[in-house]
Amino acid sequence: MMDLARITRSRVFRSLVRHGYPDSNRNRALAVFSNFFLHVHPVKVRLRAIRFTRTFYLGGLSLAAFFLLVVSGLMLMFYYHPSVPRAYEDMKDLEFVVSSGVFLRNLHRWSAHAMVALVFLHMTRVFFAGAYRPPREFNWVIGVLLFVLTVLLSYTGYLLPWDQLAFWAVTVGANMANAVPALGPYAKFLLLGGTTINENALIRFYVLHCMLLPMLLLVGIAVHLWRVRKDGGIYLPPPGEGENP
Amino acid sequence: MSATRFAAEPGEDARAVPVRLLVVQEEERPAVDASAEPQVMTFPHLLIRELCAFLALSLLLVVLSLLFDGPLEEIANPEKTPNPAKAPWYFLGLQELLHYYPPLISGVILPTLVIFSLVVVPYAHVNVTRAPFAAGSPAERRRKLGWLWLATAALTLVFLFTGAHAVWPVIGPLWFCALLATVPFLSDAKRGVIGLLARRSLPFWVYFWFLLVATALTLVGVFFRGPGWAFTLPWRDGVYH
Ligand code: HEM
């Protein structure tokens, strides 16, 4: 205890964290308030708001899945070349050459499935709670955008292994884009960088999947969480009133 | 929406333009909760919960990744079309729709309509209070019940006859929801299951229908479709993917 107090009082520690050990409510408040990552939270929260059954933590779990995807995705990027047939060979290397390569790929894949499900369930939870109503209507719209981005991320990622599964799943989707009246063939050409799914499509999907879409999603999530705060925290029915779904 | 009763613009530099103004604006801002309900410190109460949730999800996904390997088939071959060619499960609802409607309707119009509906949900000021659908005077209730079944009948006809096949994964949930929503019109019970149904609003029923349709389409696409997108039974023919 003595040493801990010495450390938290040291000049180096104080330059990093400007408050003492969080053993008083003042320091606990400062721990949240003066930390860049924690200050999305208010210093105090209503007990009802943090109950598991209120949100099932689905928004937070969506974020957690996204975090796991970014970490495992970055590691996959160290091994992956977006070219034909190298992309497929890299999958085989992950399987037979890279230590824990299969695990890495599995983690990224299952996290992606989990994220799609969690985001959809989160949307459903928010709807049934009636939390989309004013003043939260715009945050709901941002949410819909996040859902679309999540689906697009999983769609673009699906092509990257360049196996039969990838190729034909993406074919189904590209043909849907083709069906847009008048603009369809242009939309498909823009998406694939050609009229068929080939190496050009792979590099486009790679850039969308690893750069553009994740960055848009990150910014979208930041705005979304900021709005949760600005809209007065998560929605709770007025005390004493029941739910009114 | 809300008018500003009195607004004034303060100068940029308070020292150069020393004016103090009282601004009364009827701006709608969510109030910071002023009620006397129980509060706790975010550190540690919320943070520990978030950490647990994160660790639980991570653990689950790590275990899944150790136990189950993701699929990897042969290298992509444009000459060799697999049959069936299935997308990942979360797209199979859409792919199932392709079975009934041409791509323009199933792949473009219907998804756009769903996204559009989701976006306008909070702005269409229909029933913002989410009053129970079955509430109101006897005359109102009769009218609502009439509309409910008129809409159900119309939608049933649409989904029976406009597709290449009758779209049962849409019609089934429609009737299920309509029947459930009708129960409170037949009984005045305030408690139990009927009470639970009686408190549901129209938005609830619409979203519930959407949820069931999405689930039904996805389940059919994942488990009950085989070569040529023909209907199969998973316990007889296995699951195609
Ligand atoms: C990447 C996807 C998303 C992330 C990471 C995310 C994150 C969160 C978090 C952490 C919260 C705090 C409360 C909670 O956990 O429920 C929240 C609330 C909220 N989210 Fe999301 N969200 C996402 C997608 C969506 C979607 C798809 C919608 C709806 C279409 C949505 C609408 C909302 C609304 C309206 C709230 C306020 C809820 C309330 O006041 O009770 N979000 N979100």
Side-chain angles (χ1 to χ4, degrees):
Chain A
M1 218 43 219
M2 256 298 288
D3 294 335
L4 203 63
R6 272 238 322 268
I7 291 170
T8 59
R9 269 202 307 271
S10 72
R11 267 180 58 200
V12 177
F13 186 88
R14 281 300 163 106
S15 75
L16 276 168
V17 177
R18 294 184 191 281
H19 53 82
Y21 190 74
D23 51 2
S24 66
N25 279 347
R26 180 176 175 275
N27 281 347
R28 288 180 190 132
L30 284 172
V32 172
F33 188 66
S34 64
N35 180 302
F36 174 76
F37 299 99
L38 298 184
H39 89 283
V40 286
H41 289 310
V43 162
K44 290 181 195 169
V45 284
R46 292 158 297 173
L47 198 53
R48 276 197 300 158
I50 65 170
R51 291 238 162 86
F52 177 68
T53 48
R54 182 74 226 156
T55 60
F56 305 100
Y57 301 162
L58 285 166
L61 289 172
S62 306
L63 188 61
F66 181 59
F67 178 75
L68 291 173
L69 281 161
V70 170
V71 174
S72 56
L74 270 172
M75 291 203 252
L76 285 170
M77 282 177 81
F78 289 135
Y79 298 104
Y80 181 81
H81 303 74
S83 66
V84 180
R86 190 62 198 272
Y88 183 75
E89 289 163 9
D90 288 336
M91 292 301 118
K92 287 289 180 200
D93 279 358
L94 280 173
E95 201 172 332
F96 298 113
V97 182
V98 178
S99 321
S100 304
V102 180
F103 172 74
L104 199 56
R105 193 172 159 236
N106 288 347
L107 186 63
H108 196 70
R109 204 177 180 95
W110 300 142
S111 301
H113 286 275
M115 184 168 170
V116 174
L118 286 167
V119 172
F120 186 82
L121 290 174
H122 168 59
M123 177 170 84
T124 301
R125 192 295 287 177
V126 169
F127 187 88
F128 284 153
Y132 59 83
R133 292 172 295 168
R136 295 177 179 77
E137 63 267 55
F138 189 63
N139 214 15
W140 168 267
V141 176
I142 296 172
V144 175
L145 184 75
L146 295 181
F147 177 64
V148 172
L149 285 173
T150 306
V151 170
L152 285 178
L153 265 164
S154 70
Y155 176 69
T156 51
Y158 213 77
L159 181 66
L160 304 187
W162 202 255
D163 65 343
Q164 279 288 72
L165 216 54
F167 186 90
W168 292 100
V170 167
T171 304
V172 174
N175 288 342
M176 284 188 181
N178 199 33
V180 178
L183 296 177
Y186 300 102
K188 185 177 168 186
F189 193 91
L190 189 68
L191 183 68
L192 301 182
T195 48
T196 55
I197 299 177
N198 55 23
E199 207 160 18
N200 292 351
L202 184 58
I203 192 82
R204 288 201 181 194
F205 275 52
Y206 177 74
V207 172
L208 288 175
H209 183 77
C210 302
M211 282 294 296
L212 188 62
L213 293 172
M215 291 206 322
L216 288 178
L217 190 61
L218 192 66
V219 174
I221 291 175
V223 177
H224 188 61
L225 297 182
W226 181 76
R227 287 292 303 227
V228 172
R229 275 298 297 279
K230 293 288 159 181
D231 294 342
I234 72 158
Y235 169 76
L236 294 174
E241 236 175 73
E243 301 286 336
N244 49 348
Chain B
M1 190 169 57
S2 57
T4 304
R5 243 189 297 153
F6 177 65
E9 183 73 0
E12 270 188 49
D13 185 343
R15 277 170 308 182
V17 192
V19 199
R20 297 283 181 274
L21 284 172
L22 177 70
V23 181
V24 185
Q25 267 180 300
E26 274 185 37
E27 195 180 352
E28 267 183 84
R29 292 253 175 124
V32 176
D33 183 63
S35 72
E37 71 171 297
Q39 293 190 327
V40 290
M41 296 299 292
T42 298
F43 187 111
H45 297 281
L46 176 54
L47 295 183
I48 198 79
R49 282 167 164 86
E50 286 178 340
L51 186 66
C52 288
F54 175 67
L55 290 179
L57 182 74
S58 307
L59 190 67
L60 179 79
L61 288 170
V62 164
V63 170
L64 272 179
S65 304
L66 290 171
L67 294 181
F68 303 102
D69 286 345
L72 183 68
E73 297 188 350
E74 300 157 39
I75 190 163
N77 182 356
E79 311 292 309
K80 209 170 112 190
T81 315
N83 190 5
K86 284 195 184 182
W89 62 268
Y90 36 81
F91 285 130
L92 285 190
L94 269 183
Q95 215 181 334
E96 172 66 15
L97 268 182
L98 269 175
H99 180 58
Y100 307 94
Y101 293 108
L104 175 60
I105 296 178
S106 57
V108 181
I109 296 181
L110 286 177
T112 309
L113 215 62
V114 168
I115 298 294
F116 178 77
S117 319
L118 284 174
V119 167
V120 299
V121 148
Y123 294 98
H125 271 260
V126 188
N127 198 1
V128 177
T129 56
R130 302 237 282 180
F133 181 55
S137 66
E140 263 173 337
R141 276 162 60 97
R142 267 196 303 279
R143 215 186 57 233
K144 283 201 223 174
L145 193 61
W147 278 114
L148 173 68
W149 281 98
L150 194 69
T152 305
L155 285 168
T156 303
L157 288 178
V158 166
F159 288 106
L160 263 182
F161 296 118
T162 56
H165 316 269
V167 197
W168 292 114
V170 174
I171 302 170
L174 176 66
W175 277 72
F176 183 69
C177 289
L179 286 172
L180 281 185
T182 302
V183 172
F185 289 92
L186 307 177
S187 157
D188 280 334
K190 292 273 172 290
R191 283 191 303 196
V193 180
I194 298 182
L196 206 70
L197 296 176
R199 285 191 296 278
R200 305 293 113 171
S201 61
L202 186 60
F204 171 89
W205 290 115
V206 176
Y207 194 95
F208 192 50
W209 178 45
F210 163 66
L211 202 60
L212 291 180
V213 168
T215 311
L217 285 171
T218 306
L219 286 179
V220 173
V222 171
F223 293 109
F224 296 91
R225 292 299 180 185
W229 217 253
F231 191 82
T232 62
L233 295 172
W235 48 90
R236 199 186 58 201
D237 314 314
V239 178
Y240 291 89
H241 41 228

